[in-house]
């Protein structure tokens, strides 16, 4: 099915200057960028976005990392976009990520792991609405 998913290029990958290389991977896989913004997240925004992880031991480190510099946030659209983006990203822990995936190529650790992607269509809808008004997401 035609889907949309939320993608975040995290502060480590923005600092490495690989936004374009990561966008090229989305486009080559048939995903279209239908919304996009660079943003310095506030602590409250990062905590709210990752609220499901609030009780996990890595929560504070995750929030600190996500506010350590600007992120690039985008909505990707395409056939099976959620799974397609997850395949492009590779495993959460870059040490376990398959060769040729974004995390294998650009990530340094499970915290600084280059990208976030929604894990299901339902969470994608919530995550997209967290960062974008409906008028900021473009049919194309
Ligand atoms: P992300 O897809 O952005 O969702 C939550 C993030 O928490 C995850 O990527 C990792 O960067 C980070 N994280 C740190 N430690 C862990 C862990 N043990 N399990 C899952 N995620 C972790």
């Amino acid at each position: 099915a035609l889907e949309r998913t939320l993608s975040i290029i995290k502060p480590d990958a923005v600092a490495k200057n690989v936004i374009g290389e990561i966008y090229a991977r989305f486009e080559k896989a048939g995903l279209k960028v239908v919304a996009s913004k660079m943003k310095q997240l506030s602590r409250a925004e990062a905590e709210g976005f990752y609220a499901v992880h609030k009780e996990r031991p890595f929560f504070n480190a995750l929030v600190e990392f996500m506010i350590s510099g600007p992120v690039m946030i985008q909505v990707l659209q395409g056939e099976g976009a959620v799974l397609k983006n997850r395949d492009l990203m590779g495993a959460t822990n870059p040490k376990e990520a398959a060769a040729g995936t974004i995390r294998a190529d650009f990530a340094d650790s499970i915290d600084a792991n280059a990208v976030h992607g929604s894990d299901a269509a339902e969470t994608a809808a919530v995550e997209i609405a967290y960062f974008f008004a409906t008028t900021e997401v473009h049919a194309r």
Side-chain angles (χ1 to χ4, degrees):
L2 191 67
E3 292 177 342
R4 286 173 173 174
T5 190
L6 186 87
S7 162
I8 302 178
I9 301 179
K10 297 188 181 186
D12 58 323
V14 172
K16 280 184 182 165
N17 206 28
V18 292
I19 294 170
E21 291 195 45
I22 293 172
Y23 270 41
R25 292 180 186 214
F26 297 152
E27 292 178 349
K28 282 178 188 146
L31 295 173
K32 291 179 178 175
V33 176
V34 296
S36 167
K37 67 174 90 168
M38 184 175 273
K39 193 163 199 234
Q40 171 66 54
L41 299 183
S42 68
R43 184 176 299 274
E45 279 174 325
E47 287 175 348
F49 182 75
Y50 282 121
V52 294
H53 296 305
K54 171 160 94 252
E55 306 304 331
R56 308 283 292 273
F58 57 82
F59 181 71
N60 284 320
L62 173 61
V63 169
E64 286 296 336
F65 172 66
M66 290 300 288
I67 66 174
S68 68
V71 295
M72 194 75 193
I73 311 171
Q74 45 283 327
V75 177
L76 306 176
Q77 178 184 289
E79 274 300 311
V82 172
L83 189 58
K84 204 173 256 186
N85 183 42
R86 293 185 73 78
D87 287 346
L88 290 174
M89 291 193 297
T92 304
N93 186 346
K95 292 188 179 72
E96 293 160 12
T101 61
I102 293 168
R103 284 167 172 156
D105 290 345
F106 301 121
D108 296 321
S109 70
I110 195 165
D111 294 303
N113 69 346
V115 278
H116 166 83
S118 306
D119 63 6
E122 303 74 55
T123 41
V126 174
E127 291 183 357
I128 290 167
Y130 191 80
F131 286 119
F132 294 98
T134 49
T135 52
E136 294 177 310
V137 184
H138 301 275
R140 53 166 293 212

mmCIF file of all heavy atoms in Angstrom, residues 8 10 49-50 53 56-59 62 65-66 86 89 92 103 109-118, ligand 1:
data_model
loop_
_atom_site.group_PDB
_atom_site.id
_atom_site.type_symbol
_atom_site.label_atom_id
_atom_site.label_comp_id
_atom_site.label_asym_id
_atom_site.label_seq_id
_atom_site.Cartn_x
_atom_site.Cartn_y
_atom_site.Cartn_z
ATOM 1 N N ILE A 8 13.926 10.808 10.644
ATOM 2 C CA ILE A 8 14.753 11.877 11.222
ATOM 3 C C ILE A 8 16.212 11.550 10.957
ATOM 4 O O ILE A 8 16.670 10.441 11.267
ATOM 5 C CB ILE A 8 14.546 12.014 12.751
ATOM 6 C CG1 ILE A 8 13.082 12.285 13.083
ATOM 7 C CG2 ILE A 8 15.436 13.136 13.310
ATOM 8 C CD1 ILE A 8 12.792 12.379 14.591
ATOM 9 N N LYS A 10 19.567 12.254 12.386
ATOM 10 C CA LYS A 10 19.915 12.669 13.752
ATOM 11 C C LYS A 10 21.141 13.592 13.748
ATOM 12 O O LYS A 10 21.848 13.712 12.736
ATOM 13 C CB LYS A 10 20.145 11.421 14.598
ATOM 14 C CG LYS A 10 18.883 10.545 14.743
ATOM 15 C CD LYS A 10 19.100 9.421 15.748
ATOM 16 C CE LYS A 10 17.867 8.555 15.877
ATOM 17 N NZ LYS A 10 18.024 7.534 16.954
ATOM 18 N N PHE A 49 8.508 13.355 21.858
ATOM 19 C CA PHE A 49 8.609 12.467 20.703
ATOM 20 C C PHE A 49 8.924 11.042 21.135
ATOM 21 O O PHE A 49 8.381 10.083 20.583
ATOM 22 C CB PHE A 49 9.680 12.971 19.727
ATOM 23 C CG PHE A 49 9.785 12.129 18.494
ATOM 24 C CD1 PHE A 49 8.820 12.203 17.504
ATOM 25 C CD2 PHE A 49 10.830 11.232 18.334
ATOM 26 C CE1 PHE A 49 8.889 11.402 16.375
ATOM 27 C CE2 PHE A 49 10.909 10.431 17.207
ATOM 28 C CZ PHE A 49 9.933 10.525 16.225
ATOM 29 N N TYR A 50 9.814 10.906 22.111
ATOM 30 C CA TYR A 50 10.254 9.578 22.563
ATOM 31 C C TYR A 50 9.549 9.137 23.842
ATOM 32 O O TYR A 50 10.080 8.290 24.573
ATOM 33 C CB TYR A 50 11.768 9.586 22.764
ATOM 34 C CG TYR A 50 12.567 9.478 21.477
ATOM 35 C CD1 TYR A 50 13.477 10.459 21.106
ATOM 36 C CD2 TYR A 50 12.420 8.368 20.641
ATOM 37 C CE1 TYR A 50 14.221 10.345 19.927
ATOM 38 C CE2 TYR A 50 13.157 8.242 19.469
ATOM 39 C CZ TYR A 50 14.053 9.236 19.119
ATOM 40 O OH TYR A 50 14.788 9.109 17.959
ATOM 41 N N HIS A 53 9.513 5.689 25.335
ATOM 42 C CA HIS A 53 10.750 5.130 25.913
ATOM 43 C C HIS A 53 11.073 5.716 27.286
ATOM 44 O O HIS A 53 12.142 5.480 27.824
ATOM 45 C CB HIS A 53 11.937 5.403 24.978
ATOM 46 C CG HIS A 53 11.836 4.725 23.647
ATOM 47 N ND1 HIS A 53 11.654 3.365 23.518
ATOM 48 C CD2 HIS A 53 11.908 5.208 22.379
ATOM 49 C CE1 HIS A 53 11.612 3.050 22.224
ATOM 50 N NE2 HIS A 53 11.751 4.142 21.516
ATOM 51 N N ARG A 56 12.731 3.685 29.938
ATOM 52 C CA ARG A 56 13.906 2.878 29.555
ATOM 53 C C ARG A 56 15.180 3.534 30.082
ATOM 54 O O ARG A 56 15.264 4.762 30.208
ATOM 55 C CB ARG A 56 14.000 2.761 28.020
ATOM 56 C CG ARG A 56 12.719 2.277 27.339
ATOM 57 C CD ARG A 56 12.492 0.790 27.458
ATOM 58 N NE ARG A 56 13.455 0.015 26.703
ATOM 59 C CZ ARG A 56 13.335 -0.321 25.417
ATOM 60 N NH1 ARG A 56 12.289 0.071 24.731
ATOM 61 N NH2 ARG A 56 14.256 -1.051 24.824
ATOM 62 N N PRO A 57 16.193 2.703 30.397
ATOM 63 C CA PRO A 57 17.433 3.244 30.979
ATOM 64 C C PRO A 57 18.175 4.206 30.051
ATOM 65 O O PRO A 57 18.930 5.047 30.534
ATOM 66 C CB PRO A 57 18.275 1.986 31.266
ATOM 67 C CG PRO A 57 17.662 0.889 30.458
ATOM 68 C CD PRO A 57 16.206 1.229 30.305
ATOM 69 N N PHE A 58 17.935 4.100 28.756
ATOM 70 C CA PHE A 58 18.662 4.949 27.802
ATOM 71 C C PHE A 58 17.934 6.266 27.505
ATOM 72 O O PHE A 58 18.416 7.068 26.703
ATOM 73 C CB PHE A 58 18.940 4.190 26.493
ATOM 74 C CG PHE A 58 17.701 3.653 25.800
ATOM 75 C CD1 PHE A 58 16.926 4.470 24.981
ATOM 76 C CD2 PHE A 58 17.330 2.322 25.948
ATOM 77 C CE1 PHE A 58 15.797 3.990 24.339
ATOM 78 C CE2 PHE A 58 16.184 1.827 25.306
ATOM 79 C CZ PHE A 58 15.424 2.662 24.507
ATOM 80 N N PHE A 59 16.780 6.498 28.160
ATOM 81 C CA PHE A 59 15.951 7.661 27.797
ATOM 82 C C PHE A 59 16.691 8.998 27.919
ATOM 83 O O PHE A 59 16.676 9.813 26.988
ATOM 84 C CB PHE A 59 14.676 7.681 28.652
ATOM 85 C CG PHE A 59 13.747 8.819 28.328
ATOM 86 C CD1 PHE A 59 13.036 8.850 27.140
ATOM 87 C CD2 PHE A 59 13.586 9.877 29.212
ATOM 88 C CE1 PHE A 59 12.171 9.898 26.836
ATOM 89 C CE2 PHE A 59 12.720 10.929 28.923
ATOM 90 C CZ PHE A 59 12.019 10.933 27.730
ATOM 91 N N LEU A 62 19.348 9.422 25.310
ATOM 92 C CA LEU A 62 18.704 9.591 24.005
ATOM 93 C C LEU A 62 18.248 11.042 23.818
ATOM 94 O O LEU A 62 18.508 11.659 22.773
ATOM 95 C CB LEU A 62 17.514 8.629 23.905
ATOM 96 C CG LEU A 62 16.596 8.758 22.696
ATOM 97 C CD1 LEU A 62 17.351 8.506 21.403
ATOM 98 C CD2 LEU A 62 15.409 7.793 22.819
ATOM 99 N N PHE A 65 21.232 13.403 23.460
ATOM 100 C CA PHE A 65 21.805 13.278 22.120
ATOM 101 C C PHE A 65 20.941 13.977 21.066
ATOM 102 O O PHE A 65 21.460 14.714 20.205
ATOM 103 C CB PHE A 65 21.996 11.803 21.755
ATOM 104 C CG PHE A 65 22.402 11.618 20.330
ATOM 105 C CD1 PHE A 65 23.631 12.085 19.879
ATOM 106 C CD2 PHE A 65 21.540 11.032 19.420
ATOM 107 C CE1 PHE A 65 23.988 11.964 18.547
ATOM 108 C CE2 PHE A 65 21.894 10.909 18.093
ATOM 109 C CZ PHE A 65 23.120 11.370 17.656
ATOM 110 N N MET A 66 19.627 13.800 21.153
ATOM 111 C CA MET A 66 18.734 14.351 20.120
ATOM 112 C C MET A 66 18.656 15.871 20.141
ATOM 113 O O MET A 66 18.247 16.486 19.158
ATOM 114 C CB MET A 66 17.337 13.728 20.236
ATOM 115 C CG MET A 66 17.288 12.269 19.841
ATOM 116 S SD MET A 66 17.795 11.921 18.135
ATOM 117 C CE MET A 66 16.387 12.588 17.231
ATOM 118 N N ARG A 86 12.834 1.220 6.908
ATOM 119 C CA ARG A 86 13.524 0.428 7.934
ATOM 120 C C ARG A 86 14.603 -0.446 7.305
ATOM 121 O O ARG A 86 15.678 -0.631 7.879
ATOM 122 C CB ARG A 86 12.525 -0.390 8.745
ATOM 123 C CG ARG A 86 11.621 0.498 9.580
ATOM 124 C CD ARG A 86 10.690 -0.274 10.481
ATOM 125 N NE ARG A 86 11.374 -0.882 11.609
ATOM 126 C CZ ARG A 86 11.762 -0.222 12.698
ATOM 127 N NH1 ARG A 86 11.554 1.072 12.802
ATOM 128 N NH2 ARG A 86 12.344 -0.864 13.693
ATOM 129 N N MET A 89 17.545 1.768 6.612
ATOM 130 C CA MET A 89 18.261 2.169 7.828
ATOM 131 C C MET A 89 19.140 1.059 8.367
ATOM 132 O O MET A 89 20.249 1.307 8.836
ATOM 133 C CB MET A 89 17.252 2.580 8.923
ATOM 134 C CG MET A 89 16.505 3.860 8.622
ATOM 135 S SD MET A 89 15.627 4.482 10.072
ATOM 136 C CE MET A 89 14.475 3.151 10.383
ATOM 137 N N THR A 92 18.903 -1.157 14.570
ATOM 138 C CA THR A 92 19.070 -0.019 15.498
ATOM 139 C C THR A 92 20.515 0.112 15.959
ATOM 140 O O THR A 92 21.057 1.223 16.016
ATOM 141 C CB THR A 92 18.153 -0.213 16.729
ATOM 142 O OG1 THR A 92 16.811 -0.371 16.279
ATOM 143 C CG2 THR A 92 18.228 0.982 17.669
ATOM 144 N N ARG A 103 22.761 2.881 8.622
ATOM 145 C CA ARG A 103 23.438 2.800 9.922
ATOM 146 C C ARG A 103 24.791 2.122 9.813
ATOM 147 O O ARG A 103 25.759 2.529 10.480
ATOM 148 C CB ARG A 103 22.530 2.131 10.946
ATOM 149 C CG ARG A 103 21.424 3.096 11.425
ATOM 150 C CD ARG A 103 20.362 2.373 12.177
ATOM 151 N NE ARG A 103 19.386 3.274 12.800
ATOM 152 C CZ ARG A 103 18.155 2.902 13.111
ATOM 153 N NH1 ARG A 103 17.743 1.677 12.847
ATOM 154 N NH2 ARG A 103 17.330 3.764 13.689
ATOM 155 N N SER A 109 27.218 4.373 16.994
ATOM 156 C CA SER A 109 26.809 3.657 18.207
ATOM 157 C C SER A 109 25.291 3.544 18.222
ATOM 158 O O SER A 109 24.609 4.181 17.407
ATOM 159 C CB SER A 109 27.282 4.420 19.446
ATOM 160 O OG SER A 109 26.536 5.621 19.563
ATOM 161 N N ILE A 110 24.771 2.776 19.179
ATOM 162 C CA ILE A 110 23.305 2.627 19.257
ATOM 163 C C ILE A 110 22.636 3.957 19.607
ATOM 164 O O ILE A 110 21.486 4.190 19.257
ATOM 165 C CB ILE A 110 22.909 1.498 20.238
ATOM 166 C CG1 ILE A 110 21.435 1.098 20.050
ATOM 167 C CG2 ILE A 110 23.232 1.877 21.675
ATOM 168 C CD1 ILE A 110 21.057 -0.206 20.698
ATOM 169 N N ASP A 111 23.356 4.856 20.267
ATOM 170 C CA ASP A 111 22.800 6.183 20.564
ATOM 171 C C ASP A 111 22.935 7.102 19.351
ATOM 172 O O ASP A 111 21.956 7.690 18.902
ATOM 173 C CB ASP A 111 23.500 6.791 21.782
ATOM 174 C CG ASP A 111 23.212 5.993 23.042
ATOM 175 O OD1 ASP A 111 22.020 5.836 23.369
ATOM 176 O OD2 ASP A 111 24.152 5.502 23.674
ATOM 177 N N ALA A 112 24.153 7.231 18.870
ATOM 178 C CA ALA A 112 24.398 8.056 17.684
ATOM 179 C C ALA A 112 24.243 7.151 16.462
ATOM 180 O O ALA A 112 25.213 6.737 15.831
ATOM 181 C CB ALA A 112 25.799 8.661 17.753
ATOM 182 N N ASN A 113 22.970 6.839 16.145
ATOM 183 C CA ASN A 113 22.738 5.842 15.080
ATOM 184 C C ASN A 113 22.148 6.445 13.793
ATOM 185 O O ASN A 113 21.461 5.764 13.033
ATOM 186 C CB ASN A 113 21.913 4.667 15.612
ATOM 187 C CG ASN A 113 20.475 5.028 15.940
ATOM 188 O OD1 ASN A 113 20.125 6.199 16.019
ATOM 189 N ND2 ASN A 113 19.645 4.032 16.120
ATOM 190 N N ALA A 114 22.448 7.725 13.573
ATOM 191 C CA ALA A 114 22.258 8.400 12.270
ATOM 192 C C ALA A 114 20.818 8.724 11.869
ATOM 193 O O ALA A 114 20.562 9.802 11.338
ATOM 194 C CB ALA A 114 22.944 7.624 11.136
ATOM 195 N N VAL A 115 19.899 7.774 12.069
ATOM 196 C CA VAL A 115 18.531 7.981 11.583
ATOM 197 C C VAL A 115 17.504 7.352 12.519
ATOM 198 O O VAL A 115 17.794 6.376 13.217
ATOM 199 C CB VAL A 115 18.318 7.381 10.164
ATOM 200 C CG1 VAL A 115 18.825 8.315 9.083
ATOM 201 C CG2 VAL A 115 18.920 5.993 10.032
ATOM 202 N N HIS A 116 16.311 7.911 12.481
ATOM 203 C CA HIS A 116 15.125 7.308 13.090
ATOM 204 C C HIS A 116 14.117 7.070 11.985
ATOM 205 O O HIS A 116 14.015 7.870 11.052
ATOM 206 C CB HIS A 116 14.504 8.250 14.138
ATOM 207 C CG HIS A 116 13.124 7.837 14.548
ATOM 208 N ND1 HIS A 116 12.901 6.877 15.505
ATOM 209 C CD2 HIS A 116 11.903 8.200 14.075
ATOM 210 C CE1 HIS A 116 11.585 6.687 15.611
ATOM 211 N NE2 HIS A 116 10.967 7.475 14.757
ATOM 212 N N GLY A 117 13.356 5.988 12.101
ATOM 213 C CA GLY A 117 12.231 5.762 11.199
ATOM 214 C C GLY A 117 11.077 5.148 11.954
ATOM 215 O O GLY A 117 11.292 4.316 12.852
ATOM 216 N N SER A 118 9.855 5.542 11.612
ATOM 217 C CA SER A 118 8.666 4.978 12.268
ATOM 218 C C SER A 118 8.675 3.462 12.140
ATOM 219 O O SER A 118 9.117 2.912 11.124
ATOM 220 C CB SER A 118 7.399 5.513 11.600
ATOM 221 O OG SER A 118 7.400 6.925 11.574
HETATM 222 P P1 LIG B 1 15.269 5.307 17.390
HETATM 223 O O1 LIG B 1 14.751 4.537 16.227
HETATM 224 O O2 LIG B 1 15.414 6.771 17.208
HETATM 225 O O3 LIG B 1 14.329 5.024 18.664
HETATM 226 C C1 LIG B 1 14.812 5.119 19.987
HETATM 227 C C2 LIG B 1 16.300 5.254 20.060
HETATM 228 O O4 LIG B 1 16.890 4.946 21.312
HETATM 229 C C3 LIG B 1 16.963 4.299 19.110
HETATM 230 O O5 LIG B 1 16.727 4.722 17.774
HETATM 231 C C4 LIG B 1 18.412 4.333 19.601
HETATM 232 O O6 LIG B 1 19.158 5.390 19.007
HETATM 233 C C5 LIG B 1 18.265 4.659 21.087
HETATM 234 N N1 LIG B 1 18.687 3.541 21.937
HETATM 235 C C6 LIG B 1 19.699 3.573 22.810
HETATM 236 N N2 LIG B 1 19.819 2.399 23.447
HETATM 237 C C7 LIG B 1 18.850 1.593 22.960
HETATM 238 C C8 LIG B 1 18.451 0.238 23.228
HETATM 239 N N3 LIG B 1 19.087 -0.520 24.118
HETATM 240 N N4 LIG B 1 17.409 -0.266 22.518
HETATM 241 C C9 LIG B 1 16.746 0.494 21.618
HETATM 242 N N5 LIG B 1 17.075 1.780 21.345
HETATM 243 C C10 LIG B 1 18.111 2.321 21.993
#
